[in-house]
Amino acid sequence: MRIANLSGRLVLVDDGRAVDVEAASDGRFGSGPQAIYSRWAEFADWAVSRGGAGGVDFDPADLGAPAPAPRQLLAAGLNYRDHAAESGYAVPDGLPPIFTKFASSITGPVTSVTIPEGGHTDWEVELVVVIGKLARDVPAETAWDHVAGLTIGQDISERIIQLSGPAPQFSLGKSLPGFTPMGPWLVTPDEFDDRDDLELRCTVNGEQMQKGRTRDLIFSVPVLISRLSQRLPLLPGDVIFTGTPAGVGLGRDPQRWLADGDVLVSTIEGIGELRQRFTVSEK
């Protein structure tokens, strides 16, 4: 099953066409994309039983993030060995560094993003997990039962803000307007041949920058959910960015940053793609 946020309305995506959930369910479920996660099990049962007929064509540029207003957005750092190495850090033990990206930075999959003049704006393609069932002290063996689905995220990062000052400002540097695109839709785990082994990659102006597989996560999706849930409850609709593989601009020699007119395309096997075009601020 695939669900999406089409112009602010919850839709099912069947064979590339959008089915409005509120209309198809005769009002049983509302139009809000975020609200559906609090009724995820009920909604998923209905969506499977309704069949796959109907729908309208749509423009991907009209899609928003499939979880546009999470109560918690958590992000894991250094969760691939090659990225930890290029960043100059040891492999984390027990739990990777965790930070947040503020919800005001969330956008959909096809966007234009304004970046600071003279900045060091970087890319980080990531598999993103959306929680569908309260997770508190869950074992890794059952953690997938708490997942509504998977989507693509870009942890766009302004490195000067992130790394300046007496202590790093990870959340601020990663939460400028438009710095958290997600989409194009949410795909339920049963849709994948192997939900623990998906290829992810990103390109800048057609040149490949990152390529990896989620089987190489240091803390896999279920382990990450389990260990986070031991420290705080994960709520329906919460978003988890699971980490990025090597190839970011910060880790290159010479370092490379996004520039005016650059186009960043991020893809994950079995999900789709994000597409961001960057414009430099005149401020």
Side-chain angles (χ1 to χ4, degrees), residues 153-233:
Q154 255 292 343
D155 178 20
I156 301 172
S157 305
E158 176 41 57
R159 301 298 191 189
I160 294 177
I161 297 173
Q162 176 190 341
L163 301 174
S164 64
Q169 292 277 11
F170 270 64
S171 295
L172 287 179
K174 292 167 173 283
S175 296
L176 299 184
F179 271 36
T180 311
M182 290 191 289
W185 32 65
L186 188 84
V187 182
T188 52
D190 60 288
E191 291 285 321
F192 300 97
D193 292 335
D194 186 346
R195 60 195 179 186
D196 291 298
D197 184 19
L198 305 176
E199 182 182 88
L200 66 169
R201 65 172 72 196
C202 78
T203 64
V204 175
N205 303 329
E207 179 184 355
Q208 182 172 288
M209 296 295 158
Q210 293 180 278
K211 181 180 178 182
R213 300 197 70 90
T214 59
R215 69 186 179 209
D216 295 324
L217 284 164
I218 298 169
F219 301 92
S220 66
V221 168
V223 170
L224 189 58
I225 290 171
S226 176
R227 296 193 182 181
L228 284 172
S229 77
Q230 293 168 16
R231 290 159 175 80
L232 75 167

Side-chain angles (χ1 to χ4, degrees), residues 78-92 218 244:
L78 308 178
N79 204 14
Y80 289 82
R81 294 180 187 277
D82 55 3
H83 178 56
E86 73 174 352
S87 302
Y89 291 99
V91 172
I218 298 169
T244 198

Side-chain angles (χ1 to χ4, degrees), residues 47-273:
V48 170
S49 66
R50 68 164 291 276
V56 297
D57 294 328
F58 62 92
D59 185 341
D62 293 330
L63 293 172
R71 286 176 284 183
Q72 300 182 105
L73 193 165
L74 305 172
L78 308 178
N79 204 14
Y80 289 82
R81 294 180 187 277
D82 55 3
H83 178 56
E86 73 174 352
S87 302
Y89 291 99
V91 172
D93 181 28
L95 191 68
I98 300 295
F99 55 92
T100 188
K101 289 169 71 73
F102 299 123
S104 60
S105 66
I106 295 174
T107 63
V110 182
T111 59
S112 295
V113 183
T114 300
I115 57 179
E117 184 176 8
H120 291 173
T121 306
D122 207 345
W123 54 85
E124 294 191 13
V125 62
E126 305 202 15
L127 179 71
V128 173
V129 175
V130 180
I131 298 297
K133 177 183 176 183
L134 175 66
R136 181 179 290 157
D137 292 320
V138 301
E141 292 75 15
T142 60
W144 274 112
D145 296 340
H146 297 262
V147 174
L150 305 174
T151 192
I152 309 170
Q154 255 292 343
D155 178 20
I156 301 172
S157 305
E158 176 41 57
R159 301 298 191 189
I160 294 177
I161 297 173
Q162 176 190 341
L163 301 174
S164 64
Q169 292 277 11
F170 270 64
S171 295
L172 287 179
K174 292 167 173 283
S175 296
L176 299 184
F179 271 36
T180 311
M182 290 191 289
W185 32 65
L186 188 84
V187 182
T188 52
D190 60 288
E191 291 285 321
F192 300 97
D193 292 335
D194 186 346
R195 60 195 179 186
D196 291 298
D197 184 19
L198 305 176
E199 182 182 88
L200 66 169
R201 65 172 72 196
C202 78
T203 64
V204 175
N205 303 329
E207 179 184 355
Q208 182 172 288
M209 296 295 158
Q210 293 180 278
K211 181 180 178 182
R213 300 197 70 90
T214 59
R215 69 186 179 209
D216 295 324
L217 284 164
I218 298 169
F219 301 92
S220 66
V221 168
V223 170
L224 189 58
I225 290 171
S226 176
R227 296 193 182 181
L228 284 172
S229 77
Q230 293 168 16
R231 290 159 175 80
L232 75 167
L234 301 176
L235 309 173
D238 281 356
V239 168
I240 303 173
F241 275 61
T242 60
T244 198
V248 301
L250 180 68
R252 293 176 175 269
D253 186 14
Q255 293 178 332
R256 178 168 173 175
W257 315 115
L258 290 164
D260 191 60
D262 281 350
V263 175
L264 175 68
V265 177
S266 311
T267 61
I268 295 183
E269 175 186 3
I271 302 178
E273 72 172 34

